Amino acid sequence: MEVYILMVFFLILFEFLTINSNTKTKYRLLLATTIILILVQGLRSFSVGVDLKTYQIIFDRNSAMSFSEIFAYYDNEWGYHLLNKIIFVFGGNLRTLLFIVSISIYVPLYIVVKKYSKMPFISYLLFIFLGLFTFSLSGLRQTMAMGITILAFMQIKDKNLIKFIILVTFATLFHKSALIFYFAYPLYHFKISRKRLYLLIIPMILIFIFRENIITVLTAIYDSNYQIVDTGAYNFLLLLIFLLIGSVLLLIKKDELQKQGLVNLLIFMVVLQFFASYSSIVMRFNYFFFIYLTILIPDLVCSLKGKDFQFALNSILLLFLGYMFFMGLKDSIMEIYPYRFLFNSTNIPFIYY
């Protein structure tokens, strides 16, 4: 628990310390923080992350196969399985893979946060509180896919469709759920006036009413092995609706949406989250988009006039999300509590709460 508390403490501290700092100092500290987070993930015990035992089995199996056998054995996601084999050929192991996964998510996150976030350390804090950090400790394949789609997101902003398609296609070679990110490009560039934006309320209500029927059909098409589970999604649904209302009220001026693309993605997140209480796979899909809340929320906070209002909104959001994160640690199905380092002899003291 202490590792998670320290991560949160220093991210908040760094945000306050760098408010009036020059840009170079802020980004150097952000880079140092990124390296520390990579080490925290890469040096963890194999007991941290519910799926690591399964990933060890997969790694050993892939290591024993030839490259041609891997293509014949698996129907999809060859990128991940070939990576296992390449790591083994060069003398690596599952520990090497953990570092590669960690780098694959935090380097793109650093790039996009550095370039677009108005509050970079708060963006990192949101990455932790929104469950993305927790998920990255267990869902290795999708975490790599998410890192690749972050690079694809930057191509969306630059309106480079070809590079976007190539990157998303590459991401699907690590986890097929990355297919959902193909929608990001048209969604981001879709323009809608403020008045027409309100008309979306009607179809969204209809989708919510018939969500169980819709998700039953879609889940069967995607993968019938996924089970309906309680994901605690209603908390996040309420949060997303709150953020959407705030975005419409604060980021729209004279029918011009200043952050049109991010708000469009937020609308899509809300719709996806309608189904999250019926299928765990929807939460997996939404992780590809949750990342951009780390940019939108600081924009939302900074749009308020007056430092006091900004501080109040920031505090409310972080307290709510922080409470959900820490209260969910012990009972998390991801099994990331307690955190342990690689070597038992170097385990830091930890307290069971």
Side-chain angles (χ1 to χ4, degrees):
M1 182 69 80
E2 279 83 355
V3 169
Y4 305 128
I5 293 174
L6 287 173
M7 287 166 52
V8 170
F9 172 77
F10 281 109
L11 284 171
I12 295 174
L13 179 63
F14 292 161
E15 183 64 37
F16 279 108
L17 290 178
T18 58
I19 289 177
N20 297 316
S21 299
N22 62 59
T23 303
K24 288 186 177 180
T25 300
K26 179 181 292 188
Y27 291 145
R28 285 173 182 170
L29 191 54
L30 186 67
L31 178 59
T33 303
T34 303
I35 294 172
I36 291 172
L37 289 173
I38 289 173
L39 292 175
V40 167
Q41 289 214 8
L43 292 176
R44 71 186 188 274
S45 165
F46 290 147
S47 65
V48 181
V50 66
D51 290 336
L52 289 196
K53 292 180 180 178
T54 301
Y55 278 113
Q56 179 68 71
I57 295 172
I58 295 173
F59 184 90
D60 292 340
R61 182 172 62 218
N62 291 337
S63 300
M65 292 182 182
S66 66
F67 288 104
S68 59
E69 287 174 335
I70 288 175
F71 277 108
Y73 186 83
Y74 296 102
D75 294 328
N76 49 44
E77 299 173 355
W78 297 290
Y80 174 79
H81 300 296
L82 289 173
L83 177 63
N84 283 198
K85 179 64 177 180
I86 293 171
I87 290 172
F88 175 77
V89 168
F90 284 93
N93 52 26
L94 187 64
R95 176 66 54 193
T96 309
L97 178 62
L98 291 187
F99 270 105
I100 291 176
V101 171
S102 186
I103 292 170
S104 73
I105 186 65
Y106 281 110
V107 170
L109 181 66
Y110 167 77
I111 295 172
V112 77
V113 166
K114 177 184 176 182
K115 190 169 184 178
Y116 301 118
S117 176
K118 294 181 179 179
M119 307 170 74
F121 295 103
I122 296 300
S123 291
Y124 270 35
L125 193 58
L126 289 168
F127 182 85
I128 294 173
F129 284 168
L130 289 169
L132 297 163
F133 170 80
T134 301
F135 179 78
S136 69
L137 291 173
S138 187
L140 305 188
R141 291 177 299 131
Q142 185 171 339
T143 297
M144 297 191 74
M146 288 162 57
I148 298 169
T149 59
I150 292 176
L151 300 178
F153 171 78
M154 299 179 70
Q155 305 308 316
I156 297 176
K157 294 184 71 67
D158 294 338
K159 295 185 178 180
N160 195 324
L161 179 59
I162 302 300
K163 287 184 179 180
F164 169 80
I165 292 174
I166 292 173
L167 285 168
V168 176
T169 302
F170 184 55
T172 63
L173 297 179
F174 291 86
H175 203 276
K176 63 181 181 180
S177 63
L179 287 167
I180 193 71
F181 205 72
Y182 281 122
F183 289 105
Y185 195 97
L187 282 171
Y188 191 90
H189 292 296
F190 184 75
K191 295 182 179 180
I192 184 171
S193 67
R194 183 175 181 175
K195 293 180 180 179
R196 291 182 179 179
L197 186 61
Y198 294 133
L199 295 178
L200 291 176
I201 295 174
I202 297 174
M204 290 176 72
I205 291 175
L206 292 175
I207 292 173
F208 182 80
I209 293 173
F210 296 104
R211 66 191 185 282
E212 184 175 2
N213 306 86
I214 297 172
I215 196 59
T216 299
V217 174
L218 294 179
T219 301
I221 294 173
Y222 179 79
D223 192 335
S224 58
N225 292 323
Y226 279 97
Q227 299 177 350
I228 295 176
V229 297
D230 183 6
T231 61
Y234 286 111
N235 288 333
F236 278 107
L237 177 58
L238 291 174
L239 171 67
L240 293 175
I241 292 174
F242 170 77
L243 292 174
L244 179 57
I245 294 172
S247 298
V248 171
L249 294 177
L250 297 175
L251 299 180
I252 296 180
K253 293 182 179 180
K254 297 180 180 179
D255 288 343
E256 293 183 3
L257 199 58
Q258 294 181 335
K259 300 294 179 181
Q260 177 80 59
L262 290 175
V263 176
N264 288 350
L265 296 183
L266 177 55
I267 294 171
F268 191 62
M269 290 180 226
V270 172
V271 173
L272 282 179
Q273 205 67 14
F274 286 162
F275 307 109
S277 61
Y278 290 101
S279 177
S280 60
I281 192 174
V282 176
M283 290 297 290
R284 283 180 171 267
F285 282 139
N286 236 352
Y287 282 143
F288 286 98
F289 298 94
F290 277 177
I291 294 173
Y292 307 106
L293 292 177
T294 65
I295 301 172
L296 180 61
I297 291 177
D299 279 344
L300 189 59
V301 170
C302 292
S303 69
L304 289 172
K305 294 182 179 179
K307 296 294 184 181
D308 292 339
F309 288 111
Q310 292 180 11
F311 179 80
L313 179 58
N314 217 8
S315 299
I316 292 171
L317 287 172
L318 293 179
L319 284 172
F320 172 73
L321 292 171
Y323 175 81
M324 290 179 60
F325 172 73
F326 283 110
M327 289 300 101
L329 269 182
K330 189 174 182 180
D331 299 323
S332 175
I333 61 173
M334 296 296 181
E335 296 182 6
I336 69 166
Y337 171 90
Y339 179 90
R340 292 188 176 93
F341 280 112
L342 168 61
F343 303 107
N344 290 333
S345 60
T346 59
N347 278 355
I348 64 169
F350 53 84
I351 302 172
Y352 290 89
Y353 290 89

